[in-house]
């Protein structure tokens, strides 16, 4: 099997067709229709000169799976097409790719500008690890674009965006912030995990590097971890070089599961988004609910930006329950069709408070500083029937309200 190549004939076709066919190859052993799992740490050569040329990248081929692997290469080609990128590099987790991209492009004395609302693990890199390396980190209020622009203008080597944010679902205006970053020559990195390439292609809005936790929607079944970066060949070569040395490469078995998952991405996401909107609308009507976050709601503070830069509003809804953590503890065990777990983007609906999911790495004080309330619950809406999900949430809220009244 040759190194996977981006099939240009697929550009312009619909996202469901792309999810299935992008990056796929023919000519598999035994006429297999599916990408084989090439479980080999190394690839053997009898011709030393050819081996050397492959090792130098002068001929296509594979040497050692920490550098590249045929199954992983198919996944990388698939994501390149979906994200309209020249190249992609896969990692063993979302945090693996985020930390590697940041460590590839940042070093002592550089300055990174980002927002307070990024995923908790990413926030830890900003608060704990990068300052230790001598990187100046500036985290702005996510909803204050003027503040972000002003900080970029004061000096910025890398602008890091996550939009929509986890779990508050705030939206950043990608084009506007890219324009500010380009004025000072900063590289722009965007986490596209929540939007997925079905809803948003940050590279087409001027972003340089897109990162994904493939653990979420891309794989879609909550059974594998992975991460992937997409961008130009030049940038991805640098990221690949870093991965070769830090060793956070993706396993071919995991790559196979992610490839299989992506084939149904567009289909899954369609159903999940439709249910998410219905659940957000329903939550708005509930007296036990203090506030609802969903970019598809007209009253969402960034609804118009979301409408401009996204093709859909996503499948995550979050809400603040009146009564804080005590009420959350009563509500969650009453749900019948949901896991209470620290994951998202799977076929099953998953509920989780920010305290035990996205911001488990943060202390109470840090969460308070980030504006993450203890009653904030994230719903990753699954592919179940919308009516069943609504009925389940309704019964759980009603039973919780009764218990709270009787306390
Ligand atoms: N980015 C976002 C938006 C996330 O929600 C997560 C995890 O929840 C990550 C990155 C990290 O991904 P992983 O858990 O695969 O390391």
């Amino acid at each position: 099997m040759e190194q996977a190549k981006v099939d240009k004939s697929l550009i312009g076709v619909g996202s469901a067709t792309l999810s299935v066919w992008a990056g796929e190859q023919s000519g598999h052993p035994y006429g297999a229709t599916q990408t084989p799992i090439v479980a080999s740490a190394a690839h053997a050569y009898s011709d030393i000169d050819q081996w050397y040329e492959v090792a130098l990248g002068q001929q296509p081929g594979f040497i050692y799976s920490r550098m590249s692997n045929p199954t992983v290469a198919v996944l990388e080609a698939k994501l390149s097409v979906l994200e309209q990128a020249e190249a992609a590099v896969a990692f063993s987790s979302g945090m693996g790719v985020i930390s590697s991209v940041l460590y590839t492009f940042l070093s002592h004395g550089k300055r990174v500008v980002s927002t307070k609302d990024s995923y908790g693990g990413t926030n830890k890199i900003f608060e704990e690890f990068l300052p230790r390396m001598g990187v100046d980190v500036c985290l702005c209020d996510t909803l204050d674009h003027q503040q972000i622009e002003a900080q970029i203008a004061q000096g910025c080597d890398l602008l890091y965006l996550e939009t929509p944010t986890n779990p508050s679902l705030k939206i950043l205006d990608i084009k506007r912030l890219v324009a500010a970053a380009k004025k000072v020559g900063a590289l722009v990195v965007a986490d596209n995990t929540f939007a997925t390439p079905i809803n948003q292609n940050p590279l087409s809005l001027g972003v340089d590097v897109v990162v994904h936790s493939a653990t979420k929607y891309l794989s879609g079944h909550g059974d594998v971890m992975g991460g992937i970066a997409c961008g130009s060949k030049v940038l991805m070569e640098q990221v690949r070089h870093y991965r070769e040395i830090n060793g956070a490469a993706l396993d071919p078995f995991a790559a196979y599961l992610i490839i299989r998952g992506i084939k149904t991405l567009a289909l899954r996401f369609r159903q999940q988004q439709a249910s998410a909107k219905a659940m957000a609308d329903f939550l708005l009507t509930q007296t036990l609910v203090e506030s609802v976050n969903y970019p598809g709601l007209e009253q969402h503070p960034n609804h118009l930006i979301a409408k401009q830069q996204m093709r859909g509003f996503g499948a995550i809804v979050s809400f603040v329950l009146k009564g804080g953590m005590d009420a959350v503890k009563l509500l969650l065990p009453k749900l019948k069709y949901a896991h209470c777990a620290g994951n998202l983007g799977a076929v099953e609906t998953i509920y989780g408070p920010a305290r035990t999911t996205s911001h488990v790495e943060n202390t109470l004080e840090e969460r308070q500083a980030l504006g993450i309330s203890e009653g904030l619950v994230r719903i990753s809406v699954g592919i179940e029937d919308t009516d069943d999900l609504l009925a389940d949430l309704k019964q759980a809220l009603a039973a919780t309200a009764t218990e709270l009244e009787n306390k």
Side-chain angles (χ1 to χ4, degrees), residues 86-87 105 231-240:
E86 281 177 2
F105 298 112
S232 68
K233 274 189 190 149
V234 172
L235 293 176
M236 288 306 103
E237 267 322 300
Q238 294 175 56
V239 172
R240 188 179 293 279

Side-chain angles (χ1 to χ4, degrees), residues 18 44 59 62-63 98-99 113 129 183 193 197 211 216 224 228 239 243 307 312 359 375 378 383 389:
L18 278 185
Q59 260 200 58
F62 300 92
I63 300 283
I98 292 168
S99 57
V113 176
F129 292 92
K183 273 191 206 152
T193 301
V211 291
K216 316 299 183 203
V224 64
I228 195 150
V239 172
R243 190 194 69 180
K307 220 169 149 179
H359 286 72
R378 181 184 70 200
I383 63 167
L389 293 179

Side-chain angles (χ1 to χ4, degrees), residues 100 161 265 280 319 334 355-356 395 407:
S100 297
L161 309 174
L265 171 65
F319 63 99
K334 295 182 174 50
R355 189 216 267 188
T356 57
Q395 66 79 22
K407 258 194 165 186

Side-chain angles (χ1 to χ4, degrees), residues 3 7 18 52 73 93 105 163 173 212 264 333 337 369 371 381:
Q3 197 144 15
D7 182 353
L18 278 185
Y52 192 50
S93 71
F105 298 112
T163 179
D173 187 333
H212 278 279
T264 57
Y337 309 123
V381 180

Side-chain angles (χ1 to χ4, degrees), residues 85-383:
E86 281 177 2
V89 186
F91 285 80
S92 53
S93 71
M95 285 317 298
V97 69
I98 292 168
S99 57
S100 297
V101 165
L102 291 171
Y103 299 150
T104 299
F105 298 112
L106 290 168
S107 55
H108 191 274
K110 302 250 184 199
R111 184 164 195 260
V112 56
V113 176
S114 189
T115 60
K116 290 182 182 163
D117 277 275
S118 298
Y119 164 65
T122 309
N123 184 263
K124 269 280 153 189
I125 302 184
F126 289 139
E127 300 274 21
E128 190 179 331
F129 292 92
L130 289 175
R132 222 196 257 174
M133 281 169 51
V135 174
D136 179 14
V137 178
C138 171
L139 298 184
C140 304
D141 289 336
T142 311
L143 290 178
D144 190 345
H145 280 66
Q146 277 179 350
Q147 186 195 359
I148 305 170
E149 285 167 330
Q151 287 299 334
I152 293 169
Q154 282 181 31
C156 174
D157 296 290
L158 191 148
L159 171 68
Y160 186 93
L161 309 174
E162 179 182 311
T163 179
T165 61
N166 179 5
S168 308
L169 301 159
K170 293 174 187 163
I171 304 288
L172 290 162
D173 187 333
I174 298 177
K175 261 192 185 164
R176 177 174 166 178
L177 297 175
V178 163
K182 293 300 154 194
K183 273 191 206 152
V184 297
L187 192 83
V188 185
V189 180
D191 185 331
N192 205 29
T193 301
F194 269 39
T196 83
I198 303 302
N199 272 355
Q200 184 170 272
N201 294 115
L203 297 179
S204 71
L205 301 172
V207 164
D208 299 295
V209 178
V210 165
V211 291
H212 278 279
S213 166
T215 316
K216 316 299 183 203
Y217 289 104
L218 297 182
S219 59
H221 292 71
D223 54 2
V224 64
M225 304 226 39
I228 195 150
C230 308
S232 68
K233 274 189 190 149
V234 172
L235 293 176
M236 288 306 103
E237 267 322 300
Q238 294 175 56
V239 172
R240 188 179 293 279
H241 174 64
Y242 186 83
R243 190 194 69 180
E244 276 177 31
I245 304 310
N246 93 339
L250 186 69
D251 182 272
F253 287 86
Y256 168 78
L257 284 174
I258 300 168
I259 292 167
R260 187 167 72 155
I262 291 175
K263 292 185 188 187
T264 57
L265 171 65
L267 207 59
R268 282 185 274 115
F269 216 50
R270 217 177 279 160
Q271 167 71 10
Q272 288 168 315
Q273 289 197 101
S275 294
K277 174 67 168 61
M279 288 173 86
D281 286 339
F282 170 74
L283 282 163
L284 276 179
T285 64
Q286 298 302 296
T287 45
L288 206 57
V289 172
E290 200 172 288
S291 57
V292 184
N293 306 311
Y294 184 66
L297 295 174
E298 274 176 20
Q299 55 270 57
H300 184 283
N302 314 121
H303 175 67
L304 290 179
I305 305 171
K307 220 169 149 179
Q308 268 166 26
Q309 73 187 18
M310 298 173 75
R311 293 181 284 270
F313 299 108
I316 305 281
V317 181
S318 65
F319 63 99
V320 176
L321 205 57
K322 286 179 190 159
M325 188 44 74
D326 287 345
V328 173
K329 283 181 184 168
L330 292 177
L331 177 79
L332 296 199
K334 295 182 174 50
L335 293 157
K336 286 190 248 169
Y337 309 123
H339 290 304
C340 298
N343 196 17
L344 60 95
V347 289
E348 300 93 358
T349 292
I350 307 172
Y351 282 67
R355 189 216 267 188
T356 57
T357 59
S358 60
H359 286 72
V360 68
E361 280 97 356
N362 300 98
T363 61
L364 173 65
E365 293 70 32
E366 283 172 339
R367 281 194 297 278
Q368 281 170 343
L370 295 169
I372 304 285
S373 141
E374 294 299 279
L376 181 62
V377 177
R378 181 184 70 200
I379 314 175
S380 166
V381 180
I383 63 167

